[in-house]
Amino acid sequence: GRRGEESFPPPSLPTRTLSHMSGLVEEDDVSLPSDSEDEENVEEAVEEEKVTDLSDTKVVTKYLEAARIANLALSTVAAQCQEGRPILELIQIGEQVITKSLDKIYNKKEDGEVVKKGIAFPVCVSVNERICNYSPLTSEADSCPPLTAGDMVKIDLGCHVDGYIACAAHTLIVGSAPTLPAPECGDVAKACHDAMLVAAATIKPGAKNTDVTAAIAKVADAYGVKFIATVRSHQMKQFVIDGTKEIALCPPDVEAGEERVQEQEFEANEVYCIDVAMSTGEGKGREGEDRTTVFKRNVDVSYRLKMKASKEVINAVNKAHETMPFSLRTLGDERTAKMGITECVNHKLVTPYPVFNERAGAYVAHFKTTVLLMPSGTTKKVTGLGCPEYFVSEKALDDENATLLREVEEAEAKRKAKAAKKKKKK
């Protein structure tokens, strides 16, 4: 009825995604056994509940497909980061790579339902002291100058197949033969990429999130740079980009209002987004003058919206994006979107992702990867590009972490050699 439309309940997700989040499915959507059915039928109904973690090889395949497309989009945008290129044009290239690649896969129904696919995090291109989340509206894109040689660019994006998410971020310098604007630029990029690799190597079943925070602290100290304290790494589940298990880049300053992170243990079959941002500045992200254009629906919040524009916005979000972060630019008329989003934010129907900035003149690096904690106990890093070779530093990683990364490289080389040998035999 009318009340249901105006209250804007959370978007309904496929019944086969029941296990990922409570409170999203109405009773009518789920076929429960009646009292007259015997115990055998009840057990059968329980067994039929969809497995949504890495213990199911089909789920692993969907993560890998999402990762393949995320990596393709990331490498394509990186290659197009040339002098004179408008930022919005780069973002649109990334979006096209993701959507066109997704159009080619999983086009048959599963369990009678269409497999949902799409952008899981909007393509963002943040330049110089901008840290993250910059994705301008078409109507405001001209206010941001095109790329120039020497710009330090951070690309961030995500893709999902059936709600299984792969995220990635990369940092580069614009120019055909890039030269570093300053030595600290190499320090922060190398530190950020190494910290991401150390975190990925430290995450394994039985380890704790505090182990990761302690390990990467040594990386920041070795290179003499600081983490952006507001950036956190999260567990991801089907249709959930920021699960309850999270990893702080550095111990939170609770007295300054930073949110405390509960100690958590990693388990097999989990998936994590390792998100690392570092700076030569103070390590504090600030909101600047840029409009916030990236938001995410809070699926557990309902409110009866008053404005027509707000209702149009939330309906468009529920239909096209559901639980995934989105850009206002994708909601149709930008004027309506700008008007309508304010009421949605004020009543916590959506969470904003502001554009964070460091102080002017600071160098910022951002790298992100998705890791799968496989049933075998191994950790599989599935997204992200290598650190560009022009990022050099006279500083070196601490001995413990240097040994850890060397062991990871050696194990990866052995795995590739074994796979190549197996392929040759075929």
Side-chain angles (χ1 to χ4, degrees):
R2 184 170 174 76
R3 177 178 176 132
E5 291 173 2
E6 293 192 346
S7 296
F8 298 101
S12 62
L13 299 178
T15 53
R16 55 197 170 83
T17 68
L18 269 176
S19 60
H20 89 276
M21 189 187 295
S22 61
L24 292 188
V25 182
E26 301 293 331
E27 275 190 351
D28 292 343
D29 293 336
V30 189
S31 179
L32 298 174
S34 67
D35 294 339
S36 61
E37 288 177 307
D38 57 28
E39 288 182 14
E40 186 176 297
N41 286 343
V42 174
E43 287 173 7
E44 192 175 289
V46 172
E47 286 173 6
E48 285 177 2
E49 185 177 318
K50 186 84 172 178
V51 176
T52 60
D53 66 20
L54 300 177
S55 62
D56 186 336
T57 55
K58 290 180 181 177
V59 171
V60 174
T61 300
K62 287 172 181 174
Y63 273 117
L64 294 178
E65 282 294 282
R68 177 183 63 80
I69 293 169
N71 286 334
L72 177 61
L74 192 63
S75 58
T76 303
V77 176
Q80 296 297 322
C81 284
Q82 299 156 1
E83 192 171 1
R85 268 294 171 92
I87 285 177
L88 181 59
E89 189 177 299
L90 292 167
I91 289 169
Q92 290 170 331
I93 288 170
E95 290 172 344
Q96 287 169 11
V97 171
I98 293 174
T99 52
K100 287 182 178 179
S101 299
L102 287 172
D103 284 345
K104 299 174 184 176
I105 62 172
Y106 287 96
N107 292 317
K108 292 181 181 177
K109 289 185 177 181
E110 288 189 1
D111 303 330
E113 293 178 344
V114 173
V115 177
K116 297 187 177 184
K117 304 167 289 183
I119 293 171
F121 192 86
V123 181
C124 296
V125 176
S126 307
V127 180
N128 295 332
E129 61 264 22
R130 282 194 184 102
I131 300 167
C132 57
N133 302 337
Y134 187 71
S135 189
L137 300 178
T138 306
S139 57
E140 298 174 356
D142 291 342
S143 64
C144 182
L147 297 183
T148 59
D151 278 344
M152 198 166 183
V153 178
K154 283 78 65 181
I155 309 161
D156 190 5
L157 52 83
C159 168
H160 81 91
V161 175
D162 197 17
Y164 299 108
I165 303 163
C167 292
H170 186 65
T171 299
L172 56 84
I173 300 288
V174 176
S176 54
T179 53
L180 300 185
E184 311 93 85
C185 184
D187 295 340
V188 74
K190 286 281 289 178
C192 190
H193 194 266
D194 281 354
M196 180 190 75
L197 295 178
V198 166
T202 308
I203 292 179
K204 51 192 173 187
K208 293 184 171 65
N209 53 355
T210 48
D211 298 335
V212 177
T213 305
I216 60 177
K218 296 174 185 175
V219 180
D221 291 342
Y223 284 99
V225 295
K226 291 186 177 178
F227 288 108
I228 304 295
T230 48
V231 176
R232 299 271 173 92
S233 297
H234 288 270
Q235 182 186 8
M236 298 192 294
K237 298 182 180 181
Q238 189 185 25
F239 291 105
V240 181
I241 199 168
D242 50 358
T244 52
K245 287 188 179 182
E246 60 179 355
I247 305 161
L249 294 180
C250 47
D253 186 349
V254 179
E255 289 183 6
E258 292 177 13
E259 194 176 338
R260 193 185 303 274
V261 175
Q262 186 181 347
E263 187 174 79
Q264 302 271 11
E265 188 172 303
F266 305 119
E267 299 174 43
N269 300 322
E270 292 180 337
V271 177
Y272 285 86
C273 172
I274 308 303
D275 193 354
V276 182
M278 302 180 93
S279 162
T280 58
E282 300 167 12
K284 296 187 186 299
R286 307 170 178 78
E287 290 185 45
E289 296 178 1
D290 296 314
R291 179 190 297 278
T292 298
T293 61
V294 178
F295 301 85
K296 179 175 72 72
R297 176 78 165 95
N298 289 331
V299 293
D300 55 348
V301 177
S302 294
Y303 175 77
R304 190 180 298 184
L305 293 164
K306 309 293 189 296
M307 289 176 57
K308 181 184 176 185
S310 307
K311 295 173 187 177
E312 287 181 18
V313 164
I314 209 69
N315 278 333
V317 171
N318 287 345
K319 183 178 180 181
H321 302 285
E322 297 182 320
T323 63
M324 302 295 176
F326 60 90
S327 165
L328 277 187
R329 190 170 38 81
T330 63
L331 299 183
D333 180 65
E334 288 188 1
R335 186 168 174 271
T336 301
K338 287 189 287 187
M339 285 174 57
I341 199 67
T342 305
E343 188 181 8
C344 299
V345 172
N346 290 343
H347 297 285
K348 297 182 169 50
L349 287 175
V350 297
T351 297
Y353 285 65
V355 180
F356 284 117
N357 299 266
E358 247 289 8
R359 62 170 171 77
Y363 296 105
V364 178
H366 186 198
F367 288 97
K368 184 188 290 188
T369 186
T370 301
V371 295
L372 313 183
L373 275 58
M374 303 300 286
S376 61
T378 59
T379 300
K380 192 176 182 71
K381 185 171 78 70
V382 294
T383 62
L385 308 178
C387 189
E389 291 180 0
Y390 48 76
F391 284 127
V392 293
S393 174
E394 292 183 1
K395 298 176 181 177
L397 206 54
D398 64 284
D399 290 344
E400 187 179 346
N401 281 324
T403 302
L404 175 65
L405 293 191
R406 193 161 51 248
E407 288 171 353
V408 170
E409 281 179 17
E410 288 170 359
E412 181 65 11
K414 284 181 183 177
R415 186 194 66 78
K416 284 183 177 177
K418 189 177 178 181
K421 192 176 180 182
K422 194 176 180 181
K423 191 175 182 182
K424 196 174 180 181
K425 278 185 179 179
K426 288 182 179 178

